[in-house]
Each structure stands twice: as C-alpha cells, then as structure tokens.
Amino acid sequence: MSATVDATQVAQEFADIFGTSPDGVWSAPGRVNLIGEHTDYNEGFVLPFAIDRAAAVAIKLREDNTARLRSSHGEQTTVTVDLSTLSHDTMQGWTAYPLGVVWVLRQLGVAIGGFDLYLHSTVPSGAGLSSSAAIECAVATAFNELANASLSRSELVLVGQRAENEVVGAPTGILDQSASLLATDGHAVFLDCRTQESELVPLDLAAAGLLILVVDTKVSHAHATGGYSARRASCELGAEVFGVPALRDISAADLPEASGLLDTETFRRVRHIVTENQRVLDTVAVLADGGPGAIGALLTASHASMRDDFEISCPELDLAVDTALANGALGARMTGGGFGGSAIALIPAAVEATVRDAISQAFADSGFTVPDIFAVSPAPGARKIL
Ligand code: GLA
C-alpha cells in the first residue's frame, strides 16, 4: 500500500461507489509520539509528530437524513444509517469513528444532515500510530468546514477525544488527536495536556543526518479493553492517595513521600508518569540546545521506564529496541499506548540498512511475526486536500 494518500484517486473511488463527485476530500495523519507516554490523561506533557500516513475521507452532503459509509478496507459493503436514529447501537465496527464524530458534533449543536462518505487510510491499524484518531480528525475537519461550524483546532481535538471515549469506549487522552490536528511539516508538537497550550518544536532529522525508523511489531492492541484502562485507573488512584488533581502535580522530589503512601505497583506506575513528564521537558530543552542527535538517551530511558515501571512493553517491542541500540541507534523506545504496536529508533541515516537487517534477523531468530519497518519524518496535520 502506498503511504501517501492520493486525493484524486480517493475522489475517483468515491465517484465509482456513489455515482457522483464528492464535495471535497480531507485528510488527517497518524502520529509517532517522540516521547511522553501515558502522560496525556495525567494532564502532563507530550511531544508527538504527524507522519506521512493519513486517513482521507471524501464526503458529499445529501438532502435527506441518511448517511452512507464505505471504506477501502475490509468488506466492500456500504453501511447505511438513518441519522435520526443515531445512537451507540447504530455505530458499529469502523463506522463508530466517523459516526462518533458526527454524533459529538450534533451534540454540540452543529447541524449535520445526510452525507455519503468514503474512507481510505494508509495508517496501519493496531500499530500504535493512531489510525483511529486519524479517521476522527479527518471527519471532524471535514464537517467543521462543510457545516460552517468554525470550531478551533483545539475544540476539534476534544470532539475526536469524546468520540473515542464515549462512542468507541476507549478511555484515551488528547495526545493522538492533538498530533493529528496541530502538527506541521518538520515540527513536533510540544503540548501541555492540562491547558491544551502547544508549541511547534523544529525537528529536522535530515539536516542532522538522522532518521526515525518505525518498527511495527504486528502485535495488535486495543485500548477499549484491558491494560490501558488498568494503567489509567492506577494513575488516578495514585493522584487520589497523594491528594492532587492529577499526577502532573507530583514532581521527582515528591517520589520518596509517594513511595511511603502507595503500594509498590501503584508507586511504580506513578514513578513512570513523574519521570516521563520530566523527560518530555528535558527533550524539548535538549532539542533546542543540541538538536535531535542529543536526545537518544532520553528516548531509551523512556523505554526502560515503560518496560519496568509502567509494564506496557512486550518481548517484540523490547527486542526491536535492544536490537536497534546494539546496531547503532542513538535511542529507541516503544511509542503509543503499548502492549504491542510500534517501536521507534533514532538512527544515523548511514546505519539504516544495518539496523533494518538486524531487527528483521532478530525477529526471525525469535520466531516472531515479520515486522514492518519504515522511516518517518514530521508531516503536516489535518487539512482539505481536494
Ligand atoms: C494511546 C492513547 C493516547 C495516549 C497514548 C499513550 O495512543 O490514545 O491518548 O494515552 O496511548 O501515551
């Protein structure tokens, strides 16, 4: 599958399916989180960037109250929904992402009637690269424009998050939608998840002779179930016992006191968040002073913290990280929610082939599924592309 979305082709496929041209085509990217994992719902800091893999939606408004939705993935069937009966029960499978956004926008009073929608995404799903947020942000950007809603990008972030939380049922934070909506070419987004204030931080890897490789382990995860919500619950417990609104309010100097108040497991969860927040701040400072070549140790320390304290890594992610580091990577870590998905490695461009081959070989030797390995660089955020 080509990584780049071809707007003309998406419009053509829409026309082939629905027999008419779309009103427009909008795209929103997936993301890699450079550092700052599980800090978002703790009102802390994150530093993601958008990648050049995106979800594109072609949409045409209809005169009635019917939505017809079709995706280039999976079963080639068109889902038809009467929007007057739109409820959690009528939003099934992949349609929960676009319809969830429509549902939230309508809750906010945005007038959205019937429409035909065709989705084509090049963000691999279940890979920890925010395939779901990419769909939500493309749809939110499209209807914001089509319905003249004039919502700000920060408001659209919250629309996407609400769709994810209330319709899809995943208790996620604002990292993914913020990356998809706020990113620009050549920059990472430094975001304070408490205030939603953000700053674009230059991230010119090529000028430093570097690149970031994504290793999609093909170990699939879902955040609506299991470990993700358990981690969130531990963090909320930690904040409650410590008597603060969110773990954002605990600093490294508070950790000895926290260790006396919390059970050992909760303490380790808290320690990850507290140290990870500091690593995000340090990464931003080091990037400004020394450029991307100087942040490797922070990335690797982040992985160790997720592996040992937050316990969200898995053998495939650890192998990808360790093998990259043993073959010349400056730093490496898992990225995204964890329990599978992708790792990233910051490497000198000159060792790309060596690192790729070593990881492929290590996975083969361990009997793991063949990983998908590809380079990414900071790409633009959500926008109309046709
Ligand atoms: C997933 C969630 C985000 C964030 C990350 C972990 O991607 O959707 O909100 O919590 O995990 O950093």
Side-chain angles (χ1 to χ4, degrees), residues 183-355:
T184 62
D185 211 3
H187 292 79
V189 181
F190 173 39
L191 175 74
D192 180 335
C193 298
R194 170 166 278 170
T195 61
Q196 266 193 289
E197 275 167 28
S198 64
E199 192 187 312
L200 293 166
V201 174
L203 185 62
D204 191 347
L205 298 166
L210 302 172
L211 56 84
I212 288 180
L213 277 185
V214 169
V215 182
D216 174 2
T217 64
K218 305 282 180 167
V219 179
S220 190
H221 70 280
H223 295 325
T225 50
Y228 186 94
S229 39
R231 293 303 177 280
R232 185 165 182 155
S234 288
C235 291
E236 282 163 4
L237 174 68
E240 191 188 319
V241 172
F242 204 76
V244 288
L247 293 186
R248 154 69 174 275
D249 301 302
I250 300 186
S251 71
D254 297 322
L255 285 174
E257 187 188 345
S259 90
L261 292 170
L262 303 169
D263 65 84
T264 32
E265 185 182 280
T266 309
F267 173 68
R268 285 187 295 116
R269 305 294 187 248
V270 168
R271 184 167 58 188
H272 165 70
I273 300 299
V274 170
T275 57
E276 185 78 348
N277 269 327
Q278 190 57 51
R279 279 186 291 269
V280 177
L281 299 175
D282 292 348
T283 302
V284 172
V286 170
L287 271 175
D289 285 351
I295 65 169
L298 287 159
L299 303 187
T300 305
S302 169
H303 185 76
S305 178
M306 291 188 284
R307 183 191 59 211
D308 302 337
D309 273 354
F310 219 57
E311 295 180 283
I312 54 171
S313 190
C314 65
E316 290 84 350
L317 287 167
D318 292 342
L319 184 64
V321 166
D322 293 345
T323 309
L325 292 170
N327 286 276
L330 304 178
R333 61 187 289 277
M334 54 145 281
T335 188
F339 307 102
S342 297
I344 53 169
L346 175 69
I347 64 169
V351 299
E352 179 178 0
T354 311
V355 173

Side-chain angles (χ1 to χ4, degrees), residues 122-204:
T122 63
V123 190
S125 67
L129 302 173
S130 293
S131 58
S132 52
I135 301 171
E136 290 153 6
C137 294
V139 173
T141 306
F143 281 111
N144 191 38
E145 209 170 305
L146 287 165
N148 292 316
S150 303
L151 295 173
S152 69
R153 292 258 156 172
S154 297
E155 288 171 316
L156 294 179
V157 165
L158 300 179
V159 167
Q161 186 201 18
R162 268 189 72 185
E164 189 82 34
N165 292 172
E166 296 176 28
V167 179
V168 179
T172 49
I174 59 170
L175 164 68
D176 307 340
Q177 292 82 4
S178 300
S180 191
L181 283 157
L182 305 177
T184 62
D185 211 3
H187 292 79
V189 181
F190 173 39
L191 175 74
D192 180 335
C193 298
R194 170 166 278 170
T195 61
Q196 266 193 289
E197 275 167 28
S198 64
E199 192 187 312
L200 293 166
V201 174
L203 185 62
D204 191 347

